[in-house]
Amino acid sequence: MATSESWSDPERCPFCGARLASPGAGFVDHTAESPDCEAKFETWRDRISDDVTGGWSG
Ligand SMILES: [Zn+2]
């Protein structure tokens, strides 16, 4: 869980450490080129949204 909720450097991919062309949008481009990072991002995002859903549903 250490890296799950804090994205310490938005200019770098949190999964492989690659420098992004731009924060945010650059990461989308990066995942298009790096299926491995995209898969990890999907897993991360699913886990976060599960947490949010669980937190708000009650
Ligand atoms: Zn990456």
Side-chain angles (χ1 to χ4, degrees), residues 13 15-18 30 34 37:
C13 174
F15 305 113
C16 73
H30 175 68
S34 301
C37 293

Side-chain angles (χ1 to χ4, degrees), residues 35-48:
D36 194 47
C37 293
E38 183 178 27
K40 290 176 182 173
F41 175 63
E42 294 287 337
T43 301
W44 175 82
R45 189 176 58 184
D46 285 352
R47 192 169 62 208
I48 297 298

Side-chain angles (χ1 to χ4, degrees), residues 3-18:
T3 59
S4 63
E5 278 156 70
S6 63
W7 193 324
S8 58
D9 187 348
E11 293 188 10
R12 287 182 186 274
C13 174
F15 305 113
C16 73

Side-chain angles (χ1 to χ4, degrees), residues 12-32:
R12 287 182 186 274
C13 174
F15 305 113
C16 73
R19 187 166 181 80
L20 304 176
S22 62
F27 182 72
V28 176
D29 290 344
H30 175 68
T31 59

